[in-house]
Amino acid sequence: MDSQVILIAVVALAVLGFVLALLLYLVSKRFAVKEDPRIGLVAEVLPGANCGGCGFPGCGGMAAACVKAADAGSLEGLNCPVGGASCMQEVAGILGMEVAAAAPKLAVVRCNGTCERRPRVVSYDGMKSCRIANSTCMGETLCSYGCLGCGDCVAACQFDAIHINPETGLPEVDAAKCTACGACSKACPRGVMEVRTVSGENKDAYVVACVNMDKGADAMKICASSCIACKKCQNACGSDAVIVANNVAYINPEKCVLCGACYEACPRGTIVSVSVKGIERRQTNNAIPGAAKPAAKASSASASAAPMAPAKPVKEWKPIDLKYDAPLMPSQQILLAGPKDISNPVAATKDVKFEDKRTDAPLPPSQLILLGLK
C-alpha cells in the first residue's frame, strides 16, 4: 500500500513538471526577443569598462545604440571615451559605417585656490565626502564655490587618473590616463570638475581655474587667485573665446586657438595651462588674504629730501586730584570698598538699602572712567 502511494506521487510530480516545462517553452517562444547579432559583436569590441561616459548604461547600451544609429544611417554623436578613436573605427567597420574622428577631451579642475593662496580658517572634522561637506558647511575656507578637497572625484575615477596634491590640497588630473568619462564631473557637488575639449595629442588647453561668482572685492578677500571679472583676459583675446559673465570668466574651448594672450594678461594668475605635462600656473604677487601686510619702505631719495618730523610725546596718564562728595551707586560702592567689605554679602531682598558712602580721596583714572567723570 505504501509503495503504491509513493509511485502515484512520483508519477504526478513527473506529469506536473512536464506540463510546466512545456508551458514555459511555449511562453518563451511566444514572447522571445530577437537580438541583433551585431550588438554582441560591437559589445566585444568595446572596452567593457561600463563607466557611462558615453551617455548610455554600460557598454551593452552603447552597443545597442550604435546598431540602432547605424540602421538610421549615421554614427554621429556616439563616442566611447575609454576606447577612443580606434575603438570607434572598429565599431564602424563592423556596422559598415564611417565615423569621424572625435575631438579629444580632458577633465580639468576649475579651482586654483591652493592651501597657500586660499587660507583655511576652520578644520572640517566630519566624514571626508565633498557632498556631505557641501551640504553641512561651507568647507574649510571662506569660499563657498571652490574645491572642498575631500576627494569625491578621486573615488569616482575608475582609471586612477585623479589624485589630491598634498601641497596644494587640490585634485590634479593625469592627462595621459584620463578618458574623459565624466564620472568626476558628476561626483563634484560644486561643478569644479569639468570635461572639456582639448587640442591635439598633448591635450593642451587654457582654463579659468575659478568658479567664484562673488564680486571682485569680495572674491579678493577670500582667495589670492580668484577671478575678479576685470575683463583683461577678454580684451586680450583675439579669437573671441573668453566670456565674462556672472562675475567670472570662462574660456570657450571651441573658439580658443591657444595663443596664451589671456594667460599672460590675467593679473590674478587665475588662468592655468593644462597639458599631458601637467598644470602650469603663473606666479603673482597678489596679497594673500589674512596675511600680515609688509611695512612700506620709503625710497632713499625721498627719505633724504624730507626732514625728519619731531616725534610726538607720548601722553601719560596721571591721576586727577578730584574730590567726589556725592552719593555713590551700589556698583561704585563695591569698586571703592575693595574685596574685604564684600566678602560676606547679605542676601538681596526688596528692603535692602545701600549705604550712602562718600569719599573725599583722589580717584585713579580707571575709576574716574567708570564713574563717568573722564
Side-chain angles (χ1 to χ4, degrees), residues 328 330 333 346-357:
L328 300 181
Q333 292 184 25
V346 180
T349 64
K350 295 183 178 179
D351 299 332
V352 171
K353 295 182 179 180
F354 291 94
E355 179 185 357
D356 187 9
K357 186 173 181 179

Side-chain angles (χ1 to χ4, degrees), residues 23-59:
L23 181 62
L24 290 175
Y25 174 76
L26 294 177
V27 171
S28 65
K29 289 297 184 181
R30 176 66 180 83
F31 297 99
V33 178
K34 295 182 180 180
E35 184 179 86
D36 195 319
R38 295 177 296 173
I39 295 178
L41 297 176
V42 173
E44 292 179 359
V45 173
L46 296 175
N50 296 318
C51 62
C54 57
F56 298 96
C59 293

Side-chain angles (χ1 to χ4, degrees), residues 63-94:
C66 289
V67 173
K68 185 177 180 180
D71 293 339
S74 175
L75 293 176
E76 185 178 359
L78 297 176
N79 179 49
C80 175
V82 179
S86 59
C87 176
M88 291 306 299
Q89 290 291 345
E90 293 184 24
V91 171
I94 293 173

Side-chain angles (χ1 to χ4, degrees), residues 149-373:
C150 294
D152 282 15
C153 54
V154 178
C157 182
Q158 303 181 27
F159 307 99
D160 195 34
I162 306 178
H163 298 279
I164 299 292
N165 189 321
E167 296 182 359
T168 62
L170 298 175
E172 292 186 352
V173 180
D174 187 345
K177 295 181 179 180
C178 180
T179 61
C181 66
C184 57
S185 178
K186 296 176 183 177
C188 181
R190 291 188 170 180
V192 174
M193 303 297 300
E194 178 192 5
V195 178
R196 60 187 288 128
T197 303
V198 291
S199 299
E201 296 181 356
N202 290 331
K203 298 184 177 181
D204 295 312
Y206 286 104
V207 182
V208 178
C210 184
V211 291
N212 192 330
M213 292 186 288
D214 291 337
K215 292 184 178 180
D218 296 330
M220 291 176 65
K221 298 176 183 178
I222 296 172
C223 179
S225 297
S226 60
C227 178
I228 57 176
C230 62
K231 295 188 178 182
K232 290 185 177 180
C233 53
Q234 181 176 345
N235 297 332
C237 180
S239 57
D240 223 13
V242 184
I243 304 171
V244 178
N246 296 325
N247 298 321
V248 66
Y250 180 78
I251 299 177
N252 187 348
E254 306 298 333
K255 295 182 178 181
C256 181
V257 296
L258 301 177
C259 64
C262 58
Y263 177 80
E264 298 294 337
C266 180
R268 305 280 296 168
T270 307
I271 300 178
V272 299
S273 175
V274 179
S275 68
V276 293
K277 299 178 182 178
I279 303 173
E280 182 180 350
R281 300 181 174 91
R282 283 186 65 241
Q283 297 298 327
T284 59
N285 296 324
N286 300 330
I288 299 176
K293 297 182 179 180
K297 297 182 179 179
S299 61
S300 57
S302 60
S304 58
M308 294 294 293
K312 295 183 179 179
V314 180
K315 184 177 180 180
E316 297 182 0
W317 285 94
K318 295 182 179 180
I320 301 174
D321 190 6
L322 178 66
K323 295 183 179 181
Y324 188 68
D325 193 23
L328 300 181
M329 296 174 61
S331 59
Q332 298 168 349
Q333 292 184 25
I334 293 173
L335 176 66
L336 296 176
K340 292 183 179 180
D341 293 341
I342 61 172
S343 58
N344 297 311
V346 180
T349 64
K350 295 183 178 179
D351 299 332
V352 171
K353 295 182 179 180
F354 291 94
E355 179 185 357
D356 187 9
K357 186 173 181 179
R358 303 169 184 268
T359 179
D360 57 357
L363 301 179
S366 59
Q367 297 177 352
L368 291 174
I369 292 173
L370 180 63
L371 296 175
L373 302 175

